[in-house]
Amino acid sequence: MTNTPGTDGGDALVSAFNAVGADYVFCSSGSEWAPVWEALARRHRDGAPAPGYLDLTHETVAVGMATGYGLVKRRPQGVLLHAAPGLLQGSMAVHGALLAGVPMVVASSESTTYGDAPGHDPGGQWYRNLSIVGGPHGIARPFTKWSTEAAGVHTLPTMVTRAAELAWRAPAGPAYLNIPLEILLEEWDGREAKPIVAPGSTHSSPEEVDPVAQLIREAVNPVIVTETAGREAGGFEALVAFAEAWNIPVVEPDSAVCGNFPRTHPLHAGSDIGPWMDTADLILLVNCRAPFYPPSRRPSQAKIVVIDEVPQRPHVVYQVLFADTYLEGDVANTLRQLTKRAKAAMADEAAERAVAERRAAQHTRYSEETGALARAEVKACEDPESPGVDPVLVAATLRKLLDGRNGIVVDETITHSRVVRRHLRTADPDSYFYVQGGLGQGIAVALGVKLAARERPVVLTIGDGAFTYNPVIPSYDASKAYGLPLLIVVFNNRVYKSMNLNHRRFYPDGAAAETGEWLGTDLHRLPRLADFAEPFGMHTETVDTANDLAPALQRALKAVSEGTTAVVDVLVTR
């Protein structure tokens, strides 16, 4: 334990972030953080250790970048917001981190004395405008994993340690700490927190795994359904080995958070569990929080095995799994245990026959899917000079240009998300992430991913509606300030399509259908979206025909490889 008298709570907080192993502190500036800035300046001057610090001009950018970074690195980072207003501004992104399962320690501040105590005067703004009944930790409670207030400077480092350890453990997510300004200004005696280590793993016992291996051996038509297996360290590789060992098809539903299985693999069975609802005799839910919709849509005959360290997500209000068996150990370890049992379990004639039959059935499904993909891509090229580009062609062209580049795709499309996943066909771990929670975080999440994987090209696919929700100027500022070039591809259909689809679905013969007055959907009045990047000196392209698409994307990728963010605004046909 090191004692360095004469420093204050700012040093205590920086010391604590060092102890938890935070590579970065993502800060959207607030007036409470002067002690932290002074501590960082002192450490930089003296050559003392400190996390990297990023000055960001919007709360969603700060939290979103921490989310993107955490998706790749899987370790808790620090996020500093301003009081309750900054916390509220960033709350959607914090909630998105909760849904994505990303660990982080989020902090903001308040005053506890309002200038009526001796010592430093925090400022009248806390008394007039910034105070919140119950404190900001009360506000944060519904959208964080854990939320509380630091009670004093001497316990602050250990409180940060506890927050980070809680955030890191399953189900991983953001923890919040309210640190009153008076504590940041209080003298600290230098007592530091002990550095934290990675969480230990839980293991399903052989007594639990063996019966599941027997269920798989006896199954004629099993299927795997997964949303987030690839989010766990080693989970992607473990799922591939497990599926191959037992020859079981893998479905990634539309609710998948990340890439979990190679979409080019013959065992990949698309995104629809529907074909198995009445035919599967065994469904293996691997890190799958919400497999059935509506939730009451129970498979007619299948036994259901849930493989998930925390299958009942505490932050999910209503969750129906219909489980017959739970394996609640570490997912990658559980899959490896089941993989080891495959060879012995399949060494009889009946099992070999069942495997041969489902392999043939999956081969047929996979051939049909690859044929359908090829036909869709040919059709998308049929009229290359007409206005607008088929979104299938946009995704297929991106796939071809990214081939061999080890790229990462962050997706914030809505109506085009199935097209993006289906035709990009990502095949590697940590190569695809879907932005969670409300729209407007995509650019920030992609920046965080790029910060964690600077050597890899990062592509954001985004709709024009989602793009307008993003804090574009602060995001472009962060991209330029910290050398984080992205390729941003806008699927621009000039409409809030999902809203329009629901209006048409709920009121097919309504007044809007009769008069053509579709409210809440029109985006034609917006200028073309690439133009907003020009003041930042970024590469811009506006594409209106299929003939222009590939050359524009090639130029954009070249600009990104040279260190400049590129924005390609593609007018799509639907």
Side-chain angles (χ1 to χ4, degrees):
M1 183 178 294
T2 303
N3 287 292
T4 311
T7 54
D8 59 19
D11 296 274
L13 187 56
V14 173
S15 169
F17 281 132
N18 268 337
V20 304
D23 299 319
Y24 291 97
V25 173
F26 301 83
C27 181
S28 178
S29 298
S31 53
E32 66 265 49
W33 298 122
V36 171
W37 299 330
E38 181 62 19
L40 287 168
R42 185 162 47 245
R43 287 170 180 251
H44 295 159
R45 180 197 64 193
D46 299 340
Y53 175 84
L54 285 82
D55 246 329
L56 304 163
T57 54
H58 195 282
E59 293 84 355
T60 296
V61 177
V63 182
M65 286 186 66
T67 298
Y69 190 86
L71 283 168
V72 177
K73 294 296 187 180
R74 300 179 173 87
R75 300 193 310 271
Q77 305 299 311
V79 179
L80 303 181
L81 306 177
H82 174 47
L87 174 63
L88 288 168
Q89 182 71 45
S91 61
M92 182 181 69
V94 178
H95 181 245
L98 180 69
L99 296 178
V102 175
M104 62 180 67
V105 178
V106 181
S108 69
S109 190
E110 63 177 350
S111 173
T112 54
T113 65
Y114 307 108
D116 275 343
H120 294 286
D121 181 0
Q125 74 274 16
W126 301 94
Y127 180 53
R128 298 186 200 95
N129 300 321
L130 297 180
S131 64
I132 293 289
V133 175
H137 48 292
I139 293 174
R141 200 159 286 129
F143 52 84
T144 56
K145 183 178 176 182
W146 178 81
S147 176
T148 195
E149 178 182 28
V153 70
H154 303 301
T155 59
L156 176 58
T158 306
M159 289 288 281
V160 174
T161 296
R162 174 165 165 72
E165 290 186 334
L166 282 165
W168 206 352
R169 277 153 178 78
Y176 173 79
L177 196 57
N178 169 25
I179 310 173
L181 178 54
E182 289 83 352
I183 289 176
L184 291 170
L185 293 168
E186 189 176 345
E187 185 175 331
W188 174 50
D189 63 9
R191 285 183 286 179
E192 296 182 344
K194 180 184 180 296
I196 65 171
V197 296
S201 62
T202 58
H203 287 205
S204 297
S205 69
E207 292 78 13
E208 295 170 311
V209 173
D210 287 340
V212 172
Q214 182 65 18
L215 285 174
I216 300 172
R217 191 192 75 79
E218 294 171 352
V220 174
N221 192 27
V223 65
I224 298 164
V225 186
T226 181
E227 291 175 333
T228 62
R231 186 185 60 197
E232 313 301 328
F236 188 102
E237 297 86 345
L239 182 60
V240 172
F242 170 64
E244 288 178 343
W246 293 92
N247 273 279
I248 304 175
V250 177
V251 172
E252 287 184 285
D254 291 336
S255 51
V257 170
C258 57
N260 304 289
F261 196 81
R263 297 191 73 89
T264 55
H265 197 291
L267 286 173
H268 197 286
S271 60
D272 185 9
I273 192 177
W276 277 270
M277 292 297 284
D278 294 321
T279 60
D281 54 357
L282 179 66
I283 297 177
L284 299 144
L285 301 180
V286 181
N287 263 29
C288 196
R289 61 188 171 173
F292 312 116
Y293 190 83
S296 59
R297 188 189 181 202
R298 183 169 190 154
S300 60
Q301 60 177 327
K303 290 188 174 174
I304 297 174
V305 175
V306 174
I307 301 173
D308 195 322
E309 190 172 0
V310 187
Q312 296 296 337
R313 299 287 197 273
H315 58 269
V316 176
V317 175
Y318 184 57
Q319 188 181 12
V320 182
L321 299 175
F322 297 122
D324 294 293
T325 301
Y326 286 106
L327 291 179
E328 298 187 38
D330 173 83
V331 167
N333 181 272
T334 300
L335 293 174
R336 293 186 194 110
Q337 289 192 59
L338 288 167
T339 300
K340 290 177 182 177
R341 287 159 170 77
K343 186 174 181 180
M346 307 306 284
D348 65 66
E349 187 175 337
E352 289 178 355
R353 186 165 55 251
V355 166
E357 289 175 358
R358 67 174 175 255
R359 185 188 296 123
Q362 176 56 24
H363 176 75
T364 299
R365 283 189 293 265
Y366 185 74
S367 297
E368 291 173 351
E369 170 65 4
T370 52
L373 288 172
R375 289 191 295 275
E377 292 178 11
V378 169
K379 184 179 179 182
C381 299
E382 286 179 349
D383 197 358
E385 295 182 1
S386 64
V389 183
D390 192 312
V392 167
L393 183 60
V394 181
T397 305
L398 271 174
R399 182 190 73 236
K400 294 169 186 174
L401 291 176
L402 289 173
D403 185 41
R405 293 175 181 257
N406 194 27
I408 305 175
V409 175
V410 177
D411 187 21
E412 198 178 25
T413 61
I414 298 295
T415 54
H416 300 115
S417 60
R418 291 184 183 180
V419 168
V420 168
R421 285 195 301 272
R422 192 174 180 220
H423 290 273
L424 275 174
R425 308 195 78 199
T426 53
D428 300 310
D430 292 339
S431 60
Y432 173 85
F433 299 104
Y434 190 76
V435 177
Q436 297 297 292
L439 295 174
Q441 308 168 60
I443 306 178
V445 172
L447 287 170
V449 168
K450 181 65 177 180
L451 182 66
R454 287 182 178 269
E455 73 286 357
R456 300 174 66 180
V458 176
V459 179
L460 172 67
T461 52
I462 187 169
D464 53 328
F467 183 92
T468 61
Y469 287 138
N470 274 257
V472 173
I473 291 173
S475 299
Y476 287 169
D477 171 65
S479 171
K480 189 166 185 179
Y482 296 106
L484 301 172
L486 305 175
L487 171 57
I488 300 173
V489 180
V490 183
F491 287 65
N492 191 346
N493 56 14
R494 315 200 80 174
V495 65
Y496 282 126
K497 192 69 174 285
S498 61
M499 288 79 145
N500 188 249
L501 289 174
N502 270 348
H503 194 158
R504 292 173 184 272
R505 180 161 64 98
F506 296 148
Y507 302 98
D509 301 314
E514 180 183 345
T515 64
E517 185 182 13
W518 301 105
L519 301 175
T521 62
D522 186 20
L523 294 177
H524 280 84
R525 64 182 182 269
L526 294 179
R528 294 304 292 270
L529 300 176
D531 296 347
F532 293 99
E534 290 181 357
F536 292 87
M538 295 173 174
H539 184 90
T540 63
E541 299 274 357
T542 298
V543 176
D544 288 337
T545 67
N547 273 339
D548 296 332
L549 177 66
L553 288 174
Q554 288 170 340
R555 290 190 295 268
L557 269 173
K558 182 174 184 294
V560 171
S561 69
E562 293 170 353
T564 302
T565 284
V567 184
V568 183
D569 178 357
V570 184
L571 180 69
V572 292
T573 54
R574 51 191 167 92

